[in-house]
Amino acid sequence: MFRKKQSALLISAVIASLPASVFAAPANQSEEPVEIPSLTVTADPLGARTPDELIFPVTVLADEELDKQRAATLGDTLNSVPGVANSDFGPGVGRPVVRGLQGSRVQVLEDGLKTVDISGEGGDHTVAIDVGRAEQIEVFRGPATLLFGSGAAGGVINVKSGRFDPDFGDSPRVNGQLGYGYNGDERQGNIGLELPVTDNFVLRTDYGLRRSHDFDIDGYQQIGQTRGDKDTLQNSDAVSDSFSVTGLYKGEWGHAGLGYSRWRTDYGIPEVFLGEGEEEQERIHADYDRVDFRSEFNNPLPGFSTARLKLAHTEFNQQEIGGEFFNGELEERGVETEFTNDESEARLELVHNPIGLWQGVIGLQLNNREFGAEGAGHGHGGHGGDGFYIRDNDTRSMGMFVLEELPTDFGRLEFAARVDHVRSDPVTLDEERHIDLPSGDEIHQEANLGSRSFTPFSLSAGSIIDLDDKHHVRLAVTRSERAPSAEQLYAFGAHAASGTVEVGDPTLDEETYTNFEIGLDRHAGPFRFDTTLFYNYVQDFIYLASRDDGTGNPILIEGDTLVFNQQDDARFYGAEFTAAWDVIEGAVPVTLRLSGDYVRAKLDGGDNLPRISPGRLGIGVDTAYQDWSLSIDYRHIFRQSKSAELESDTDGYDLLSFNASWAPDSLKGAEIYVQGRNLLNEDGRRHQSFLKEEAPIIGRTVMTGIRFDFGG
């Protein structure tokens, strides 16, 4: 309680100390606009637009800002972005949560096409991407179904690797970073090579790795634990490797690139291990092989200025490996569940020449997914075989979209529409499946479920209103539809690593989102800010719900929680804001930053939705002197007491971090950095995580290393 009061007093004192002049340029400073650095949003189909020019809120991390936030997982990297939180399942998993929505509702792209994994099928599944090679990360908050399809109902995150960038120098370039963190003996590294073969052709390759042991925490791992290994997050070690090679050719007609990439990871699911009696530990091994093609053509057809064709094929495999121990000795280890996911995607964008004042893009997107799962898993042989947890299924989708923009005297108007057709075909089993309940009852799933088809249709309209040369108002409304994912339809059985027994519903309807946004920003001058209010009404929202066993606790089957996919109308609303004030300019500049977010989510009947991110409020300061730069950040994560039925509350906690770097001319393109995270060594629990009861955030850590960029 004392620490919470300290946090509130500290934030209140800092805010109260800001003079009234914070909301206007100081008298001794120039009123000339200080423009935000221009960063093009590469996932924007119109192309060449900056975040400031887009109607829907987009945050771009690049260059120094990305280096400051870069972490081992995507969710951890984006955890500081307003509206985005990290739903981890231990240090090996970091999945982004956008405005309270996660899993298959948040689409992750790499260079504009979907990242293929099974992170939507379980909270323990990581996003198959190496953040180490990212040159830029773009975060679209709110429904982006108009541009990217049914899986983008909550938002889109595009990771730009730079592999298909048509711009390159005339000499070889080497870039990357090497780092070491004492917590977990963590070693990270990434190195990339760009080799211009001719003036028109370049070869690029990169390799990245991560190695870590079990991480330190503050106190016991599990809530209520009183004995065992203290101050250690057991079974939290992680290993990952990534590799890619790409060739790109450019000419006056445009450019085209072909690349191959491979990614693999092996990580533990944190679990308390006492070394007494019968115990189990779970590990996950996942890998993919992927081939990508990217191209852009100038003046491809009469009436069109640009055509972009993007193709990708990925073969993904994941194994969930269980180890059985007796009195601390390993007795048996084997694969409990194996998932495969082979996916092909094609996307064509055609930017047309202006028609009157209208400019826009039309597009076509195709996707084919073949998903398989098998295993006997976690001692639940009675849950039915033949497609353990979720039966094999094929999903095919086709989408067509159009986006049009109209300049006006007051700003711009934008309209978009998209229609998709999604067909899902589950395999027919030899016999029906069943789950035995502790009460003696049974839950059944038919052997033949038949195929399901959906036709999601989405519309959006928005406007940017220029109040003056420094201020914008953004207004947007979206009505979008989302098809249920395969796991929401067909899941039926135990998911060992996540500790759940999940039941899907093959009769689920489409979700329908009606989203309203209003934003105000000041994008120039010594004081800048961006704030957004949103309201999202979802008809037939699909969520995982537990059921009471009659004692006020969820039904457990052999220690795993029984959860059902069910639908109800829901409401999400909240706010996000950032502000920056250049307090001092000159040899030792000082910039003060403030940020925060809040999301509230509940069903129409009044019940709270589970795993909704709590409110956050943060303050930071940036400064520099000669070759040195320093950033310090303090953030308070508030208590989450708006919990769902049978869900526990989480206490608030404080995070203190810093980033320091030294880049003298003598290093000629390199810099030494030091980063500190969770310096207060807090025992924080992420409410949005499925693992919050079993694992806290990792404890205090300091990472140091070198970043370099030579040649080019």
Side-chain angles (χ1 to χ4, degrees):
M1 179 64 70
F2 178 69
R3 180 170 285 177
K4 293 180 189 175
K5 290 182 178 179
Q6 278 185 317
S7 303
L9 288 172
L10 175 60
I11 296 173
S12 300
V14 172
I15 296 175
S17 69
L18 298 180
S21 60
V22 71
F23 296 101
N28 63 342
Q29 290 186 354
S30 171
E31 285 290 337
E32 290 297 319
V34 179
E35 297 294 341
I36 298 174
S38 178
L39 293 169
T40 299
V41 180
T42 59
D44 173 32
L46 275 179
R49 292 195 294 181
T50 67
D52 191 51
E53 296 175 309
L54 297 177
I55 290 174
F56 289 93
V58 178
T59 297
V60 176
L61 295 181
D63 304 324
E64 182 181 355
E65 184 61 27
L66 176 56
D67 287 335
K68 289 179 182 179
Q69 306 302 332
R70 196 187 306 267
T73 65
L74 184 62
D76 205 12
T77 300
L78 300 177
N79 194 44
S80 64
V81 175
V84 184
N86 180 25
S87 176
D88 67 17
F89 214 91
V93 179
R95 304 190 313 162
V97 181
V98 181
R99 294 180 175 178
L101 297 171
Q102 58 178 298
S104 57
R105 295 182 180 90
V106 176
Q107 191 165 123
V108 179
L109 313 176
E110 184 168 14
D111 295 314
L113 284 185
K114 181 182 176 184
T115 299
V116 175
D117 50 41
I118 55 170
S119 59
E121 274 75 25
D124 57 309
H125 301 165
T126 191
V127 178
I129 203 162
D130 179 11
V131 184
R133 71 182 179 205
E135 289 190 356
Q136 181 169 303
I137 302 178
E138 304 155 2
V139 182
F140 293 73
R141 302 189 300 278
T145 53
L146 277 298
L147 302 180
F148 302 104
S150 186
V156 165
I157 296 163
N158 181 50
V159 179
K160 177 180 178 290
S161 69
R163 295 167 57 201
F164 300 98
D165 190 341
D167 297 324
F168 54 89
D170 55 7
S171 61
R173 175 191 176 197
V174 179
N175 66 330
Q177 67 170 3
L178 300 171
Y180 175 79
Y182 82 89
N183 190 343
D185 188 27
E186 186 173 14
R187 291 138 288 161
Q188 296 183 26
N190 184 277
I191 185 169
L193 170 65
E194 180 178 274
L195 182 63
V197 179
T198 69
D199 292 341
N200 302 97
F201 182 72
V202 64
L203 279 174
R204 295 185 174 110
T205 185
D206 65 76
Y207 174 72
L209 63 80
R210 179 197 184 197
R211 303 286 187 272
S212 66
H213 297 151
D214 286 352
F215 286 84
D216 297 334
I217 56 175
D218 178 39
Y220 285 112
Q221 176 172 330
Q222 193 169 31
I223 291 179
Q225 183 182 351
T226 58
R227 62 192 183 92
D229 199 349
K230 194 176 182 181
D231 299 329
T232 299
L233 190 62
Q234 295 178 301
N235 202 37
S236 63
D237 60 304
V239 173
S240 64
D241 294 89
S242 67
F243 167 78
S244 77
V245 59
T246 306
L248 183 138
Y249 185 84
K250 67 176 181 179
E252 294 183 0
W253 50 269
H255 64 269
L258 180 65
Y260 165 80
S261 59
R262 177 171 173 78
W263 170 90
R264 65 175 293 273
T265 187
D266 186 280
Y267 58 90
I269 302 298
E271 297 170 274
V272 173
F273 189 78
L274 300 176
E276 302 173 359
E278 295 182 355
E279 294 181 296
E280 296 182 350
Q281 283 191 335
E282 306 287 340
R283 298 197 64 81
I284 288 183
H285 174 87
D287 62 75
Y288 74 61
D289 292 277
R290 175 171 173 138
V291 177
D292 284 273
F293 175 78
R294 300 290 187 278
S295 62
E296 181 171 310
F297 303 94
N298 302 321
N299 303 312
L301 297 168
F304 293 93
S305 60
T306 306
R308 304 184 192 95
L309 178 62
K310 306 174 184 179
L311 304 170
H313 175 74
T314 307
E315 295 183 357
F316 178 92
N317 177 271
Q318 177 169 307
Q319 295 177 331
E320 298 188 353
I321 303 167
E324 297 182 2
F325 296 80
F326 184 75
N327 290 336
E329 296 294 328
L330 178 64
E331 290 196 325
E332 184 180 357
R333 185 184 300 276
V335 177
E336 295 179 336
T337 315
E338 183 166 7
F339 299 95
T340 59
N341 187 24
D342 295 344
E343 195 161 340
S344 299
E345 185 171 21
R347 182 179 173 98
L348 175 64
E349 300 169 356
L350 292 170
V351 181
H352 67 71
N353 295 328
I355 303 174
L357 296 177
W358 291 90
Q359 55 184 344
V361 59
I362 60 174
L364 173 68
Q365 190 165 356
L366 305 172
N367 185 279
N368 181 58
R369 180 185 192 231
E370 297 178 358
F371 176 87
E374 61 180 46
H378 208 47
H380 293 299
H383 292 184
D386 293 329
F388 170 79
Y389 170 57
I390 175 173
R391 65 179 68 191
D392 297 355
N393 62 86
D394 295 342
T395 302
R396 293 172 177 81
S397 64
M398 179 180 71
M400 294 181 291
F401 62 90
V402 58
L403 182 149
E404 296 293 332
E405 183 182 78
L406 176 67
T408 66
D409 293 337
F410 57 80
R412 293 193 315 280
L413 293 172
E414 184 177 287
F415 302 92
R418 180 176 178 122
V419 61
D420 288 273
H421 181 73
V422 182
R423 179 184 173 91
S424 184
D425 295 293
V427 299
T428 298
L429 306 180
D430 295 333
E431 58 184 16
E432 73 172 21
R433 305 179 72 193
H434 66 275
I435 295 175
D436 299 324
L437 301 180
S439 64
D441 295 330
E442 289 184 346
I443 304 172
H444 294 269
Q445 187 186 64
E446 295 179 2
N448 183 7
L449 296 177
S451 63
R452 291 294 310 275
S453 294
F454 305 92
T455 308
F457 180 67
S458 303
L459 292 167
S460 74
S463 176
I464 290 182
I465 301 173
D466 298 324
L467 300 181
D468 53 36
D469 62 348
K470 299 184 182 67
H471 297 84
H472 288 154
V473 170
R474 290 179 167 88
L475 302 169
V477 59
T478 302
R479 183 194 179 279
S480 59
E481 295 179 334
R482 171 185 173 270
S485 64
E487 71 275 11
Q488 292 172 333
L489 293 169
Y490 310 127
F492 196 85
H495 190 183
S498 64
T500 58
V501 177
E502 185 171 331
V503 179
D505 184 351
T507 67
L508 291 172
D509 295 325
E510 296 171 346
E511 295 177 333
T512 302
Y513 294 75
T514 304
N515 187 75
F516 300 93
E517 306 239 0
I518 181 170
L520 173 65
D521 70 81
R522 177 184 172 94
H523 51 272
F527 177 67
R528 303 170 298 280
F529 66 86
D530 192 343
T531 183
T532 302
L533 302 175
F534 67 89
Y535 177 86
N536 195 5
Y537 179 64
V538 189
Q539 295 171 275
D540 297 319
F541 181 74
I542 304 169
Y543 63 101
L544 286 175
S546 304
R547 294 189 181 176
D548 197 324
D549 65 358
T551 67
N553 296 305
I555 296 175
L556 299 179
I557 300 178
E558 299 184 29
D560 292 341
T561 304
L562 179 65
V563 291
F564 294 82
N565 284 275
Q566 58 189 50
Q567 286 187 299
D568 202 349
D569 295 344
R571 302 170 190 271
F572 296 75
Y573 54 89
E576 303 147 358
F577 74 91
T578 59
W581 178 35
D582 299 329
V583 182
I584 300 175
E585 297 180 350
V588 186
V590 175
T591 297
L592 186 66
R593 293 176 282 103
L594 192 67
S595 65
D597 56 18
Y598 174 79
V599 61
R600 181 78 170 91
K602 56 185 179 180
L603 300 172
D604 261 7
D607 293 337
N608 298 316
L609 281 166
R611 292 173 293 279
I612 298 301
S613 315
R616 305 177 299 180
L617 184 62
I619 190 168
V621 61
D622 301 327
T623 188
Y625 178 69
Q626 294 183 353
D627 302 326
W628 291 87
S629 66
L630 174 67
S631 297
I632 300 174
D633 285 270
Y634 167 84
R635 175 182 290 188
H636 179 70
I637 291 82
F638 290 90
R639 172 181 173 83
Q640 179 58 285
S641 58
K642 305 274 193 308
S643 301
E645 186 179 1
L646 306 178
E647 182 188 34
S648 61
D649 297 346
T650 47
D651 292 332
Y653 56 96
D654 303 305
L655 293 177
L656 181 64
S657 62
F658 77 89
N659 292 275
S661 65
W662 179 54
D665 292 339
S666 59
L667 292 182
K668 299 180 179 179
E671 68 173 12
I672 307 296
Y673 70 89
V674 181
Q675 297 175 330
R677 298 292 183 264
N678 191 14
L679 298 178
L680 302 178
N681 203 34
E682 288 274 33
D683 176 31
R685 306 276 170 166
R686 291 189 169 109
H687 192 85
Q688 62 273 15
S689 172
F690 283 83
L691 202 68
K692 64 185 178 68
E693 304 279 347
E694 287 75 29
I697 61 175
I698 65 173
R700 181 186 299 113
T701 188
V702 174
M703 176 167 282
T704 185
I706 184 171
R707 303 185 187 101
F708 51 90
D709 192 343
F710 304 126

